[in-house]
Structure formats: C-alpha cells, structure tokens
Amino acid sequence: MSTAGFPAIRTADGTVIVRDPKSGLAASGRSLVEALAELRRLLAHRHAEARRAPPAREGAAA
C-alpha cells in the first residue's frame, strides 16, 4: 500500500502505518486518511521547529 508518496501498511488489527522515507517520521491511525493527516501534522511541526531554531554554528558543541 502506498499513497501520496508515503509507503503505508495495514497491520493485522487494522491499524494503518505511514512513513515519510525522507524524514523517517511515521504515524498511525485507524484509517489511511487519519494516518496521513497525523503524518502531515508531524511533518508540519518539524518544519516549523526547524524555522524557529537558530542556525547551528560549525564546530559548536551540541
């Protein structure tokens, strides 16, 4: 199963799991629509966090 460019699987109990290969993020839901909505929410949150974070300086300790 694959949709919107994200690979997806359905588990034995009916849960749908979708994954973004680029970021490695995964999300699940009771339906494909629900799982995709959750994954998109996670991706949007990660994108917003990246815009807020100051740029890392090279050689700076983490």
Side-chain angles (χ1 to χ4, degrees):
M1 179 187 307
S2 179
T3 185
F6 302 118
I9 62 168
R10 185 175 299 274
T11 65
D13 70 355
T15 301
V16 177
I17 302 170
V18 292
R19 183 176 168 275
D20 175 30
K22 185 175 178 183
S23 69
L25 289 174
S28 63
R30 291 176 295 204
S31 68
L32 183 58
V33 171
E34 187 178 299
L36 283 171
E38 179 65 9
L39 181 59
R40 288 187 176 120
R41 186 190 68 76
L42 292 171
L43 289 168
H45 179 66
R46 177 176 272 191
H47 182 70
E49 286 293 316
R51 284 186 288 149
R52 277 192 287 244
R57 292 191 329 234
E58 203 168 304

